[in-house]
Amino acid sequence: MSDNENRSNKNLKNNKPNRPDDNFDWSKVIRLVFGWGAVIVAAVIVMQVFRTNTETFTEIPYGEYEVLLQNPENISSASILKSDINDYTFKAELKKETDVKIKGKSVSVKAISVYIPEPMIHDQEAVWKEKGIQYSFDKESNEWMNILIGFLPWVLIIAVWVVIMRRMQGQGGGSKGIFSFGKSKAKLITPSSKRVTFKDVAGTDEAKMELQEIIEFLKEPSKFQKLGGKIPRGVLLLGPPGTGKTLLARAVAGESGVPFFSISGADFVEMFVGVGASRVRDLFEQGKKNAPCIIFIDEIDAVGRHRGAGLGGGHDEREQTLNALLVEMDGFEQNSGVIIIAATNRPDVLDPALLRPGRFDRQVVVDRPDVKGREGILKVHTRNIPLDVNVDVEVLAKGTPGLAGADLANLVNEAALLAARKNKKKVEMIDFEEAKDKVMMGMERKSLIISEKEKKTTAYHEIGHVLVARMIPEADPVHKVTIIPRGRALGVTSYLPIDEKHTYSKEYLEAMITYALGGRAAEKLVFNHYTTGAGNDIEKATNIARKMVCEWGMSDKLGPLAYGAKEEEIFLGREIQKHRDYSEQTAIEIDNEIREIINSAFDRAVKILNENMGLLHKLSEELLEREILDAEEIDTIIRGESLPPMQKEEKTPEEAVPDHVKKLMEQRQQQDSDPKNESH
C-alpha cells in the first residue's frame, strides 16, 4: 500500500462528517446541567457533615422517655423542633450518661430524641412545666435544601446560556450558526455511507474512463509520476439535464478511497457580501487538510457565470465568489492533491477564465445515450425488478430515442407501478409499453368528455399526420396513433426514428414540416373547415422553416447567411431579443421564403391525401372504432387487409360512466345530429 493511500485512509478515520445543526446534541447539555447539579449537592452534603453542631442525638422509644421524665433531674436542657409537616421532636441533653433499652438492648446515651405527635404536644408541655424542665421551641434547620433552591436558578441560567451560545456558534463550527456563515457547507461523504459505484452507471463509457483514470491517479500516483504526469486540477462534466452528471460524481465518491466533499453552487452565495468568497476559502482549507481529496461542485454555473455582465460591478457577490474560486484553483499558492469535479448543463454561460487548462484540465461531455447506452441504463434500472420472460430490453432501448438516463429510470419506475396496480407478480412488456406511452406522449385522460363530432375531426386530423408521414420516404416511421386524450392534446401521433440523428438534411426537415401539416390538410379536404387543433403543428412547422432560412442557410434565394444576431442576458441564461441586422427588403424576402416553404409543404400534404383518400377514410374509421392503432395495424390496413375483430373489455363498476355524464353525452349527441346545427 502506498503512502498516499495510507494517508487517505487515516484522514477518512480521523475526519468525521459534520453533524447538521438541526440535530442538536441535547445529551451534552443535559450532562452539563446534571454534572454541575451533582457538584452543588455534594458541596451541600459536605457542609452538612462539617457543621458546628456535631452532637449526635439517639432516638429512643416513647416508654423510655416517660421513664426519664419521672426523674427530671436527669435532663439538663431540652428543645422541641417543629418540621415542615407539623411533627415535633423532643431533643434533650442528659446530665450524665444513662442506660436505656432500645429494641431490647441496653444502650448508654448522653443525648436523646423522641418523636411526639402534634395532638400530644400540649399535654407534654404541661408535664415539662410541672417537672421544671427548661425547654424551648425551635424550627428544624434545612440549610442544605435552602442552598440547593438558591443555586437552582443559577444552574438554569447557565444551561440556557450554554444552549444559546452553542446555537449561535453552530455547535462548535457547524454550518448554520450565526457566527459561522462564512464556513463551507460541503458534506463529507465517507466510505461507510451507501455507495454508488461505476457498476451502477451505464451509457457514459467515455466519462467513466476519464474519471476512472483520476481515481487510479489518487490510488497509485507513482504510476503516472514516473512518466512526468501531473494530477489533473479539475474535471468539468457537461451535458443536458438528466444525463447522469451527478450520478457519475456519486460513483466517483463510491469508487475512490479518499475524502469526497460535495457542495452545490448555490451554497456559496447568500445575503451577506463576501460570504461566498469566505466559503470558497474555507472549502479549500478543508480540502488541503484532507489531501488528497475530491471536491464536487454541482451546478457550478450558479457562481461561475461570465463576469462583467451584471449591474453590480466589482462588488457583485457572484464575481467575488468566482474570483476566490479562480485563485484557489490556480493561483499563487498551488493546491496539491485537491481535485475539483464540477457539473453544469450551461457551459455557454461560464467564464472563460474558469474553463482554461490549469483550472479545468478536462471537459467531459455527458450526452444523451445512444441505443447501446440506453440498453445498458435499462439493464441497470431493471436489476432489482422481477421481469417477465417476454421483456426485451433491446426493443425498449430502440423504442426510446432521445431519452436521457433520468427519463429511462422514470420509465422503469412507471412500468413497475403499473404492474403493481394490476396485482401482477412480474413486470411484463405491455407494462413497459404503457409506461413508454405515458412518458413520451402524456397520461391518458379517458374521463374527458368529447363529442362524436370532435372525435371524428380528431381522428381524421391524426390520420392525416400518419398517412402523409407514411407516404414520404424521408419521414420518421409512425409508431402509434391514438385519439384518446393524452396530456393537453386530444390526439397524439408518435414517431420513432430508425437511426440516431445528430444532423438533419434539408429533405428531412421538409418532410417534418409536411407531415406536421398533414392534419390541417385532412381537415380541409374532409370537412372543408379549420380547427384550433393544428395550432401546435403550425407553430412547429413555422419554427423549423424560420431556422432553415435564418440560421441554417437552406434557402437558395437568400444564400448561406445567418439573419438575426442573438442578444443574450448572461444572468438569465437565455436570449431576450434578436437584433435585426438586415434591411427591410431582406425581411420581406425572409417572410416570403418561410411562406413558400410552408405553402409548398402544405400543398404536398394535400396532394398525398387526395391520392390516398380511400385509405384516409378507412384508417379514420378504424381509429374511431379502436381509438389506438399501432404501426403493424396501420401497415395491415394500407396493404388492403382487414384487422381482426376488436375484443372489447368489460368495464368494472369503477370504470362505468356515471349517470349525469351519460345524460350530458346524450344531449351533445342530439345537438350534433340536429340538422340546424349541421347547416349552421
Side-chain angles (χ1 to χ4, degrees):
M1 187 179 293
S2 62
D3 296 336
N4 288 332
E5 194 172 353
N6 288 329
R7 187 168 54 182
S8 64
N9 292 334
K10 186 178 179 182
N11 289 330
L12 285 174
K13 292 178 182 179
N14 296 333
N15 288 276
K16 296 179 179 179
N18 295 328
R19 180 183 297 167
D21 194 50
D22 293 336
N23 299 331
F24 189 74
D25 193 3
W26 289 99
S27 61
K28 290 185 178 180
V29 179
I30 294 171
R31 286 198 298 269
L32 181 68
V33 173
F34 277 99
W36 280 103
V39 170
I40 294 171
V41 171
V44 171
I45 294 172
V46 170
M47 291 172 62
Q48 283 291 107
V49 172
F50 291 97
R51 286 195 306 177
T52 55
N53 187 13
T54 59
E55 189 71 36
T56 304
F57 290 88
T58 305
E59 187 174 357
I60 63 175
Y62 190 80
E64 295 293 325
Y65 160 72
E66 290 181 338
V67 172
L68 290 174
L69 280 182
Q70 295 176 1
N71 188 8
E73 296 179 355
N74 292 334
I75 302 173
S76 62
S77 64
S79 62
I80 296 89
L81 301 180
K82 181 183 179 184
S83 64
D84 293 335
I85 54 175
N86 295 326
D87 293 329
Y88 293 86
T89 303
F90 178 85
K91 291 187 176 182
E93 294 184 3
L94 306 180
K95 292 181 180 180
K96 60 180 181 178
E97 290 188 358
T98 307
D99 293 333
V100 296
K101 289 185 178 180
I102 301 174
K103 294 182 180 181
K105 295 182 180 179
S106 180
V107 180
S108 180
V109 296
K110 186 70 184 291
I112 62 172
S113 67
V114 181
Y115 168 73
I116 300 176
E118 185 180 7
M120 297 175 60
I121 197 66
H122 298 289
D123 297 335
Q124 291 296 314
E125 190 175 358
V127 174
W128 297 333
K129 289 179 179 180
E130 184 183 348
K131 301 289 185 180
I133 299 173
Q134 299 293 327
Y135 66 94
S136 62
F137 280 92
D138 298 323
K139 189 174 181 180
E140 188 176 0
S141 178
N142 291 325
E143 294 180 7
W144 66 275
M145 186 62 69
N146 295 332
I147 295 172
L148 184 62
I149 293 172
F151 268 101
L152 187 62
W154 292 101
V155 172
L156 293 176
I157 290 171
I158 292 171
V160 171
W161 179 78
V162 169
V163 171
I164 292 173
M165 291 304 296
R166 290 182 69 86
R167 296 292 287 186
M168 291 176 70
Q169 295 176 3
Q171 196 176 343
S175 61
K176 296 184 181 179
I178 296 176
F179 298 130
S180 62
F181 51 78
K183 300 291 185 181
S184 170
K185 294 185 176 182
K187 299 177 182 178
L188 179 60
I189 299 175
T190 60
S192 60
S193 58
K194 188 177 180 180
R195 296 199 306 169
V196 177
T197 62
F198 282 146
K199 295 180 181 178
D200 303 319
V201 182
T204 54
D205 296 335
E206 294 84 2
K208 286 166 62 176
M209 192 179 299
E210 294 283 339
L211 296 171
Q212 183 67 45
E213 188 178 325
I214 292 174
I215 295 171
E216 290 179 3
F217 200 113
L218 290 170
K219 290 183 177 180
E220 194 178 353
S222 60
K223 175 182 175 182
F224 301 90
Q225 290 172 353
K226 288 178 181 177
L227 301 175
K230 296 181 180 179
I231 190 168
R233 300 284 181 87
V235 178
L236 184 63
L237 302 176
L238 315 172
T243 51
K245 299 182 293 296
T246 307
L247 184 64
L248 273 171
R250 291 173 60 191
V252 171
E255 290 284 344
S256 64
V258 297
F260 188 93
F261 294 92
S262 176
I263 190 171
S264 171
D267 290 335
F268 289 109
V269 182
E270 284 191 4
M271 61 182 193
F272 301 107
V273 178
V275 171
S278 175
R279 288 178 176 174
V280 169
R281 288 189 288 270
D282 184 70
L283 175 63
F284 278 87
E285 285 178 6
Q286 293 184 35
K288 291 175 186 176
K289 293 177 183 177
N290 295 275
C293 70
I294 297 174
I295 297 175
F296 174 61
I297 305 175
D298 202 4
E299 306 295 345
I300 196 174
D301 55 283
V303 294
R305 299 198 176 208
H306 202 293
R307 292 171 293 179
L311 301 177
H315 295 288
D316 193 324
E317 177 64 7
R318 280 195 181 92
E319 291 195 6
Q320 295 290 338
T321 307
L322 178 57
N323 289 337
L325 185 63
L326 294 175
V327 171
E328 292 292 339
M329 288 189 71
D330 188 18
F332 192 77
E333 293 184 0
Q334 300 288 328
N335 287 318
S336 57
V338 180
I339 298 176
I340 309 295
I341 298 178
T344 181
N345 52 18
R346 291 303 311 272
D348 53 322
V349 302
L350 295 180
D351 195 273
L354 191 64
L355 298 175
R356 74 163 178 84
R359 293 195 173 102
F360 285 108
D361 299 308
R362 297 182 179 181
Q363 298 182 18
V364 181
V365 178
V366 187
D367 209 346
R368 288 187 174 89
D370 55 5
V371 177
K372 291 185 178 179
R374 292 197 298 271
E375 186 178 349
I377 294 170
L378 288 170
K379 286 180 179 179
V380 168
H381 290 298
T382 55
R383 282 186 308 192
N384 300 323
I385 294 177
L387 299 178
D388 195 72
V389 291
N390 62 351
V391 176
D392 194 343
V393 179
E394 186 178 354
V395 174
L396 286 174
K398 290 180 179 179
T400 51
L403 296 189
D407 300 323
L408 295 172
N410 184 34
L411 188 148
V412 173
N413 185 54
E414 288 288 344
L417 294 177
L418 287 171
R421 198 178 300 168
K422 297 175 184 177
N423 297 321
K424 295 181 179 179
K425 294 183 178 180
K426 293 184 178 180
V427 184
E428 300 175 358
M429 193 68 179
I430 189 171
D431 301 318
F432 281 102
E433 289 294 333
E434 290 181 13
K436 185 173 69 173
D437 294 342
K438 186 178 180 180
V439 170
M440 299 179 71
M441 295 192 294
M443 184 182 67
E444 289 186 359
R445 295 188 296 162
K446 293 184 177 180
S447 61
L448 187 64
I449 301 172
I450 304 173
S451 64
E452 292 298 324
K453 189 176 181 181
E454 254 187 339
K455 191 179 288 185
K456 187 176 180 181
T457 304
T458 305
Y460 275 94
H461 181 100
E462 298 301 329
I463 292 300
H465 291 304
V466 171
L467 201 54
V468 172
R470 185 66 174 77
M471 297 302 171
I472 298 177
E474 297 85 5
D476 292 325
V478 177
H479 171 61
K480 187 177 290 186
V481 59
T482 177
I483 56 172
I484 298 173
R486 285 185 174 270
R488 292 181 293 177
L490 294 178
V492 179
T493 303
S494 174
Y495 306 91
L496 269 186
I498 299 174
D499 302 321
E500 302 286 334
K501 290 184 177 66
H502 303 285
T503 59
Y504 303 101
S505 64
K506 183 181 179 181
E507 291 76 13
Y508 178 76
L509 295 172
E510 289 175 348
M512 287 182 66
I513 297 173
T514 304
Y515 67 68
L517 298 173
R520 178 85 166 199
E523 291 179 5
K524 180 186 177 182
L525 291 174
V526 178
F527 304 102
N528 198 23
H529 66 76
Y530 301 120
T531 66
T532 59
N536 190 36
D537 302 327
I538 294 172
E539 184 182 352
K540 289 181 179 178
T542 307
N543 288 335
I544 295 173
R546 187 172 297 278
K547 288 182 177 180
M548 288 174 64
V549 175
C550 298
E551 296 183 21
W552 300 327
M554 293 183 178
S555 172
D556 296 331
K557 189 174 181 181
L558 295 172
L561 294 176
Y563 298 95
K566 298 176 184 178
E567 292 186 0
E568 296 185 352
E569 216 292 331
I570 296 297
F571 284 95
L572 289 179
R574 66 186 65 176
E575 62 182 57
I576 57 173
Q577 68 180 26
K578 284 189 177 181
H579 179 64
R580 188 166 162 178
D581 56 355
Y582 45 85
S583 64
E584 291 289 340
Q585 183 64 32
T586 305
I588 295 173
E589 291 180 0
I590 290 173
D591 293 341
N592 291 332
E593 280 293 300
I594 295 172
R595 189 180 295 110
E596 177 63 27
I597 293 174
I598 298 294
N599 289 336
S600 63
F602 184 76
D603 294 339
R604 187 182 178 187
V606 170
K607 183 182 178 184
I608 292 173
L609 293 179
N610 266 323
E611 294 173 354
N612 301 276
M613 187 59 68
L615 285 176
L616 178 63
H617 291 296
K618 193 172 182 181
L619 285 167
S620 300
E621 291 171 0
E622 289 289 344
L623 183 60
L624 279 169
E625 184 182 354
R626 299 175 181 270
E627 293 186 337
I628 298 175
L629 292 176
D630 57 18
E632 293 182 2
E633 291 172 338
I634 294 169
D635 291 339
T636 302
I637 296 172
I638 291 175
R639 289 195 302 265
E641 302 173 5
S642 57
L643 296 176
M646 186 178 65
Q647 296 179 356
K648 295 185 178 180
E649 298 180 356
E650 296 183 0
K651 293 185 177 180
T652 59
E654 292 81 5
E655 297 175 342
V657 181
D659 294 336
H660 68 282
V661 178
K662 287 182 179 178
K663 190 176 179 181
L664 184 61
M665 291 174 69
E666 289 174 359
Q667 291 176 359
R668 290 198 174 183
Q669 286 177 358
Q670 289 177 1
Q671 290 177 0
D672 293 338
S673 60
D674 192 355
K676 294 181 180 180
N677 293 332
E678 290 180 359
S679 62
H680 179 72

